Amino acid sequence: MRLATMVEADRSIRAAADTGDGWRALPATDLSGWFASGARLEPGELLNDAEPTLPLPRPHKVICCGLNYGDHILEMGRELPSYPTLFAKFADTLTGPIDDIVLPRGLQVDWEAELAVVVGAELRRATADEARAGIAGYTVANDISVRDWQNRTLQWLQGKAWDASTPVGPVVVSPDAVDPAAGVDVVCRINGVERQRGDTSRLVFDSAALLAYVSAFTVLRPGDLVLTGTPGGVGQGLRPPTFLTDGDVLETEITGIGRLRNVIRLTD
Amino acid sequence: MRLATMVEADRSIRAAADTGDGWRALPATDLSGWFASGARLEPGELLNDAEPTLPLPRPHKVICCGLNYGDHILEMGRELPSYPTLFAKFADTLTGPIDDIVLPRGLQVDWEAELAVVVGAELRRATADEARAGIAGYTVANDISVRDWQNRTLQWLQGKAWDASTPVGPVVVSPDAVDPAAGVDVVCRINGVERQRGDTSRLVFDSAALLAYVSAFTVLRPGDLVLTGTPGGVGQGLRPPTFLTDGDVLETEITGIGRLRNVIRLTD
């Protein structure tokens, strides 16, 4: 099954599900509202002329794991971790699957293609098995990072939480239709040139492990997002370091889930 | 003026304001709702038998500054910063001014008394003057930190965001009634023994500077919280390092604002 928040031709938005016969409306304006209202799967009328937008515009929590692929850890000059490195984004940080990413000119804007996990159950001190059963699905994200701000201090938040900088979507694919633990490719292309290709079976902490770990200190609820980290190939790791420029086309794709396509707009 | 979320004798909660003649109801169930609905100051009936609870139970953002008093920076072994060190908490991280703080036994639970700023306007790329004008008031917080988890990785979130661990309140005092830039005392006592005493005039980044800095990358909205950092005297800085134990009484007080009193409960 696939879930999405769809924009219709009249610009109204609707939560929707595709169980095999096309996108049908769910009784909520978006997937955040649908998860909050109990996530009952009662698809209604078919949606025509509708396109996916940001699937989860109002998550309570967006938690990200850094340094979770061996190759990316090595390119950033660090050692393999015993614990997941976690930081937060805000709901405001997210943007849609085909939206421009608008940031001030002069920043070191870097790419980080990532698998994102959508929480489907309330998880508190969950075991890995409970966490796995509490996964509603998977989507695609790019953890766009403003490196100069990220590196100003010890804490990364100010480089990771620029408003409307992290594209997410286009759809949420249920665990019966995609299995990241078995390995799917996470790919980032800039202007058509492949910059990252990771295999989710190589994650140090897989989706269920991350959800269980987080749930030890804070509750996760349906509609929350956990980003699982990025593979090697980010701009900061290139020699010389390379960052996004105005007009760059950023594509982020995961096999079996879908593709984001965002144009970078750097403004004065 | 003082603002609060009050618990009445029948356990119902109400936003309330005290403009000099006692606590009067505002048209919202709590201050988060009152700020979201426009924060119109139209006090209604007097509230009797009511006590302050967590003033802002549903902020969109809780952003914290670390390493912001010179003495605390030195005790943690770091240098004076050029930029504020920022990290996030969640709404779930907060708890009320007299609530027990319940955490699993065996953690290194440390205290961090802090001035908290309540945002009163929408701030985007604000100047310091705009940020200062956008401060709704000040309250008291204790940025309880689970040091062993905080120090597991480079990012502090997992030590800073345990559910219901950060007491906030009891009231929000408006800027015309308290001026932290001129200096108020931030005090932490454990079982009656003073452990921290800081002067907010010594902050490296004051309230307006912090709000302006944050608003460069993410919008702040009425009802959001920014914690300004803690002065010297935390448990990790003692020789030997000392942490909270079951039954400890934690008092956090700021001159002219009020006092939190929370009992630590460490459970199996």
Side-chain angles (χ1 to χ4, degrees):
Chain A
M1 182 180 65
R2 301 188 301 162
L3 298 165
T5 298
M6 305 293 279
V7 186
E8 298 184 272
D10 65 357
R11 311 305 299 163
S12 64
I13 64 171
R14 287 295 293 273
D18 176 5
T19 58
D21 66 345
W23 289 104
R24 290 181 177 275
L26 293 169
T29 54
D30 57 47
L31 286 182
S32 292
W34 182 69
F35 278 113
S37 70
R40 285 173 308 155
L41 192 64
E42 296 170 353
E45 74 277 14
L46 271 171
L47 298 178
N48 296 311
D49 285 327
E51 295 294 333
T53 185
L54 174 60
L56 294 154
R58 295 172 288 124
H60 288 289
K61 288 177 189 146
V62 183
I63 298 181
C64 306
C65 182
L67 311 172
N68 200 14
Y69 287 87
D71 56 345
H72 178 57
I73 295 167
L74 297 175
E75 79 180 350
M76 301 297 275
R78 308 188 192 281
E79 296 181 359
L80 284 179
S82 303
Y83 302 103
T85 299
L86 301 175
F87 58 94
K89 291 179 183 257
F90 304 110
D92 284 328
T93 317
L94 309 182
T95 193
I98 59 169
D99 291 344
D100 288 355
I101 295 171
V102 183
L103 288 167
R105 198 182 303 279
L107 300 176
Q108 296 178 346
V109 183
D110 204 351
W111 54 89
E112 294 200 351
E114 305 202 2
L115 173 75
V117 187
V118 179
V119 178
E122 189 167 293
L123 299 175
R124 296 177 193 264
R125 300 194 194 183
T127 64
D129 283 345
E130 290 166 344
R132 191 172 295 109
I135 294 174
Y138 302 95
T139 189
V140 184
N142 199 308
D143 171 20
I144 291 290
S145 302
V146 177
R147 297 292 185 205
D148 41 349
W149 285 58
Q150 180 183 348
N151 295 328
R152 279 183 171 181
T153 74
L154 294 168
Q155 297 301 296
W156 300 343
L157 178 76
Q158 63 191 271
K160 295 286 196 174
W162 287 68
D163 282 351
S165 66
T166 297
V168 175
V171 300
V172 178
V173 178
S174 59
D176 60 312
V178 64
D179 181 11
V184 292
D185 281 350
V186 176
V187 177
C188 187
R189 290 182 211 92
I190 297 161
N191 303 323
V193 177
E194 184 174 302
R195 292 295 189 179
Q196 295 184 279
R197 178 174 291 269
D199 174 341
T200 54
S201 70
R202 305 283 294 279
L203 286 167
V204 179
F205 305 99
D206 73 7
S207 303
L210 284 177
L211 268 56
Y213 189 87
V214 169
S215 79
F217 64 90
T218 188
V219 59
L220 292 170
R221 295 194 182 83
D224 285 344
L225 275 171
V226 176
L227 275 60
T228 59
T230 202
V234 301
Q236 178 168 300
L238 296 177
R239 294 294 170 267
T242 302
F243 302 106
L244 293 165
T245 57
D246 185 58
D248 279 352
V249 177
L250 176 75
E251 288 178 296
T252 317
E253 185 166 7
I254 300 181
T255 320
I257 301 177
R259 182 172 55 185
L260 311 171
R261 184 184 184 282
N262 304 90
V263 177
I264 306 299
R265 296 290 179 206
L266 304 183
T267 63
D268 292 319
Chain B
M1 181 179 68
R2 301 188 302 162
L3 298 165
T5 298
M6 305 292 280
V7 186
E8 299 184 272
D10 64 358
R11 310 305 300 160
S12 64
I13 65 170
R14 288 294 292 272
D18 176 6
T19 58
D21 66 345
W23 288 103
R24 290 182 177 274
L26 292 169
T29 52
D30 57 50
L31 286 182
S32 293
W34 182 69
F35 278 112
S37 70
R40 286 174 308 157
L41 192 64
E42 296 170 352
E45 76 275 15
L46 272 172
L47 299 178
N48 296 310
D49 285 328
E51 295 295 332
T53 183
L54 174 60
L56 293 154
R58 295 171 289 125
H60 288 290
K61 290 176 187 146
V62 182
I63 298 181
C64 307
C65 183
L67 310 172
N68 200 15
Y69 287 87
D71 56 344
H72 178 56
I73 295 168
L74 297 175
E75 81 180 348
M76 301 297 275
R78 308 188 193 279
E79 296 180 0
L80 284 179
S82 303
Y83 302 103
T85 299
L86 301 174
F87 58 94
K89 293 179 182 257
F90 304 110
D92 285 327
T93 317
L94 309 182
T95 193
I98 59 169
D99 291 343
D100 288 355
I101 294 171
V102 183
L103 288 167
R105 197 182 303 278
L107 300 176
Q108 296 178 348
V109 182
D110 203 350
W111 54 88
E112 294 199 353
E114 305 201 3
L115 172 74
V117 187
V118 179
V119 178
E122 189 167 295
L123 298 175
R124 297 177 193 264
R125 300 193 194 184
T127 64
D129 283 345
E130 290 166 345
R132 190 173 296 107
I135 294 173
Y138 301 96
T139 188
V140 184
N142 200 308
D143 172 20
I144 291 290
S145 302
V146 177
R147 297 291 185 206
D148 41 348
W149 284 58
Q150 180 183 350
N151 295 328
R152 280 183 171 181
T153 73
L154 293 169
Q155 297 303 295
W156 300 344
L157 179 76
Q158 63 192 269
K160 295 285 195 173
W162 287 68
D163 282 351
S165 66
T166 296
V168 175
V171 301
V172 178
V173 178
S174 58
D176 60 310
V178 64
D179 181 11
V184 292
D185 281 349
V186 176
V187 177
C188 187
R189 291 182 211 94
I190 297 161
N191 303 323
V193 177
E194 184 174 301
R195 292 295 188 178
Q196 296 184 278
R197 178 175 292 269
D199 174 341
T200 55
S201 70
R202 304 284 296 279
L203 286 167
V204 179
F205 305 99
D206 73 8
S207 303
L210 283 177
L211 268 56
Y213 189 88
V214 168
S215 79
F217 65 90
T218 189
V219 60
L220 292 170
R221 296 193 182 83
D224 285 345
L225 276 172
V226 175
L227 275 61
T228 60
T230 201
V234 302
Q236 178 169 302
L238 297 176
R239 294 293 171 265
T242 303
F243 302 106
L244 293 165
T245 57
D246 185 58
D248 279 352
V249 177
L250 176 75
E251 288 178 298
T252 317
E253 186 165 7
I254 300 182
T255 321
I257 302 178
R259 182 172 55 185
L260 311 171
R261 185 185 185 279
N262 304 90
V263 177
I264 306 299
R265 295 291 178 205
L266 304 182
T267 63
D268 292 318

